[in-house]
Amino acid sequence: MAHSSVRGEGPRSRAPHSADRGGEHSRYEARGEDSTPAPRGRRRSGGGGRHGGGPQIPRRGRRILRWFAIVLAVLILGTAGAGYLYYEHLNSNIKQDDLNLGDTKIAEPTPNAAGQTPLNILLIGSDARDSKENQKLGGAKDTFGSTPLADVQMLLHLSADRSNMSVISMPRDTLVKIPKCTDPEDDKVYPASTRLTMTNQSLGRGGPGCSVATWQELTGIHINHFMKIDFAGVVSMADAIGGVPVCVDANIYSRDSEGHGSGLKMKKGTHPVKGEQALQWLRTRYGFEDGSDIGRAKAQHMYMNSMVRVLRENATLSNPNKLRSLAEKATEAITVDPGLDTVKKLYDLSNELRKVPPKRITMTTMPYQYVGARVVPKPGDAEKLFRLVREDIALDGKSAKSPAKEKVSKDPAAADDEIGIVVQNGTRTSTLGPVSGRAGAVSGLLVGKGFTKATADHSAQLAEDKTVVRYPSAELEGDAQQVAKALGIPLRSVERSTDVSGVTLVVGADWREGTVYQAEKEDDKTPTSADALNGANDKACMHVDPNFTWKS
C-alpha cells in the first residue's frame, strides 16, 4: 500500500472541547493564544514497492529481521538496539518530514580527537487522532483528525565516543517561545509566538521540524534527527515485544469521577505490560506522583529503561510471523527526517546506539519551576543540563574526557564604543531583595572600559543566579563575547536568547557588589533537579497518589 504525498483526506476542523480526551491529553489545557495551526496529514513515503505474501525467511534473514524489529521498537522510545531488513516494501512504509522548519541553524559540535561527533535525536510522541485506530486508543470522537500535539518530547544524546547516552524529557506543558516556522509543503508561515506557549503545540506549526526548531532555540543543541510515533505504533510494538516489567508502590486506577485518566488499573508490585496497557502506562498522569506531567515523564523513563533490559536479556522475538508483523507496524507508525528515511539508515543508527550498555544510559527531566499550572525551564539548572549535553559530558558523571574548551565566536566583534549594551539588575533572590542601583553601577563600569553605548534598564525586575550576557542573533555573538571578556565573565555565560533585542547583560546574584566579577568554578555534575534515573536501575517503582488507589 503506497502512501500519498498529499495532505490527508480533507480539512481538519477544530471542535470545541469541555472535557479531557481520555483524561491524559487534554486539548483545552494545551491550547494557548498562539495556537492556530493548520490542518496536517502528510504522509511522504520513501522509495520501493511492497511485495505481497512474503516467502519463508531463511535463518539468517530471521536473525536480521529480529534485530530490525528490536531496533525500531527501541529507537522509538529512545533506547538502544540494532537491526537491518533488506525488504524494500518496508522503506515505502516509512514517512518523512523536513528536519528543521525554523530559521536558526545550530552548528554541529567540533569532532573529538578520533573525528567523532555526538548524535542528538528528538523523539516525539504524537497524540494524533488521524486514523480510526488512533482515535479508538486516544478516545474523544470530537478530536478525530484535528491537529496533533507533541505530547511526548525527549532529546536523546549519544556521546561522540559512543560510550554513554543521555535523555532529556521536556514536560508537554513547558512554556516556551516557539520560533517562526515555515511549512515547505505549502509555504505557510507560522509566526513566532508572541507569548510563552506550551511546547507541545510546536508539532502543529508545520510538523516535527518545528518541534526541532523549538528545541534548538531553547537549548542551543544541534539536533541531527527526529523520530515521531503515534498511539497505534506504541501498542503494536509493545505487543510484539511481549511485555515490559513496570512497578507501582500501591494499587492504581487512573480514573477520577469526571472521567479523567488513562484507565490504567494495576495491582501493587511489578507486572509486565504490553499492548494497550503499555500505552496506558506511558500516558498516565492522573494517579502518578502529584498528578502532573512530571510524574508521567518519570514513568516513561522507567518503561524505557526496563524495555532496554528486556531486549538485551532475552531472545523471545524468534517467531518470523510476529517479527514480520512488528516490522510492518513499526515502519508504518513512524515519521522521520530524510536522514533516517530508509531501513539501512535506521540500521546504521541502531549500530551506534547498541554500543551503549544500560548502566551508561541516564534518563532526566528538564529542570523546571512552576508558573501557575504550567512550568518553565528552571534558571541555572536547565541551562546547566543543556550545557552538559552541548559539551558532550556524560550525565552519569563518568565522562572519560575533559570538558570542551570554550568556543570563541567566528563572528568578529564591533569596536567597543559601537556595541549597544543594555544592563539589567538580576540580583534579587528568593531570600534577598535586589541591590539598588546595581544596573547603573555596572553600566558605568562598562562605559569606563570604553563601551560608551552601555545603558542601564532600571525597569527590569529579574532574578538570575549567575551573571549572564545574552544576544538575540548570530551576528551579535561576537559583540556579546567581547562584553563578557571585558568583565571577566566566562564564555559559557554568554547565551543566545529570543527574549532580548540586543546585547543584554543581566547582573546576577553572584555579583551583588564590587567592580570585579568572580566567576564560580563550574562543576559538571547533573543537577539534582533533573531527577536522573540510571538505565540499569531495576528497582525503580512509581509512587501512586492515594486518591487513585483501590483495595484488591
Side-chain angles (χ1 to χ4, degrees), residues 7 12 31 34-42 101-103 147-148 177-194 201-211 213-214:
R7 271 186 194 276
R12 297 181 176 184
R31 305 295 174 181
D34 299 296
S35 70
T36 54
R40 181 166 192 81
R42 82 180 56 174
L101 302 182
D103 294 333
T147 305
K177 290 287 187 69
I178 299 178
K180 182 182 78 171
C181 293
T182 303
D183 188 335
E185 187 163 305
D186 57 9
D187 291 325
K188 179 176 176 60
V189 176
Y190 296 84
S193 58
T194 58
Q201 295 182 30
S202 60
L203 183 60
R205 296 171 178 253
C210 194
S211 297
T214 301

Side-chain angles (χ1 to χ4, degrees), residues 8 129 153 202 243 249 298 362 450 509 531:
R129 271 70 167 174
Q153 297 180 48
S202 60
D249 66 2
K298 183 183 292 186
T362 305
D531 200 16

Side-chain angles (χ1 to χ4, degrees), residues 242-513:
V244 174
V246 294
C247 177
V248 287
D249 66 2
N251 296 345
I252 182 174
Y253 182 45
S254 178
R255 186 76 72 198
D256 67 10
S257 59
E258 297 180 355
H260 298 137
S262 69
L264 177 70
K265 190 171 186 178
M266 182 182 295
K267 290 185 177 181
K268 176 182 179 180
T270 300
H271 309 277
V273 294
K274 60 181 180 179
E276 190 167 352
Q277 190 177 36
L279 177 63
Q280 289 174 334
W281 176 275
L282 294 168
R283 295 181 62 213
T284 294
R285 177 162 58 92
Y286 295 97
F288 282 159
E289 305 283 338
D290 62 355
S292 72
D293 199 43
I294 309 303
R296 172 162 50 192
K298 183 183 292 186
Q300 291 167 352
H301 294 166
M302 290 183 186
Y303 181 95
M304 292 160 62
N305 284 339
S306 182
M307 185 177 179
V308 173
R309 295 192 297 269
V310 168
L311 292 173
R312 285 178 176 268
E313 291 169 3
N314 67 61
T316 57
L317 293 177
S318 58
N319 183 301
N321 290 327
K322 181 180 288 188
L323 290 172
R324 185 184 296 111
S325 175
L326 173 59
E328 291 284 354
K329 295 292 185 181
T331 51
E332 289 172 357
I334 60 173
T335 301
V336 297
D337 66 275
L340 294 177
D341 64 353
T342 67
V343 172
K344 174 63 167 62
K345 292 175 182 178
L346 291 170
Y347 167 70
D348 290 341
L349 175 60
S350 71
N351 268 341
E352 298 295 292
L353 294 174
R354 69 181 296 214
K355 297 174 183 177
V356 182
K359 65 182 179 180
R360 296 303 313 279
I361 298 174
T362 305
M363 303 283 179
T364 66
T365 298
M366 179 199 74
Y368 63 91
Q369 64 184 29
Y370 279 99
V371 175
R374 310 298 182 211
V375 301
V376 294
K378 183 177 182 179
D381 283 7
E383 173 54 30
K384 180 179 182 180
L385 188 65
F386 300 152
R387 177 184 67 82
L388 294 178
V389 171
R390 286 197 303 266
E391 297 182 2
D392 197 26
I393 298 172
L395 299 187
D396 61 5
K398 299 178 181 178
S399 278
K401 61 182 284 296
S402 300
K405 294 182 179 180
E406 291 186 325
K407 185 178 178 181
V408 178
S409 174
K410 295 180 181 180
D411 173 56
D416 292 354
D417 60 358
E418 294 180 359
I419 300 176
I421 309 164
V422 173
V423 182
Q424 298 176 332
N425 187 346
T427 57
R428 177 170 54 87
T429 71
S430 59
T431 58
L432 298 172
V435 177
S436 179
R438 194 61 183 147
V442 175
S443 63
L445 181 62
L446 281 168
V447 170
K449 290 179 177 291
F451 294 90
T452 56
K453 291 188 177 182
T455 60
D457 175 10
H458 298 292
S459 64
Q461 299 293 321
L462 305 174
E464 290 281 351
D465 293 335
K466 295 182 180 180
T467 298
V468 63
V469 182
R470 297 191 172 104
Y471 63 96
S473 54
E475 62 268 18
L476 292 179
E477 182 180 22
D479 293 357
Q481 290 192 354
Q482 183 77 349
V483 172
K485 290 175 185 176
L487 295 174
I489 298 171
L491 296 188
R492 64 173 178 266
S493 295
V494 178
E495 60 186 43
R496 184 169 178 171
S497 172
T498 56
D499 291 333
V500 298
S501 58
V503 176
T504 303
L505 167 65
V506 182
V507 184
D510 60 345
W511 197 14
R512 289 175 63 88
E513 59 184 11

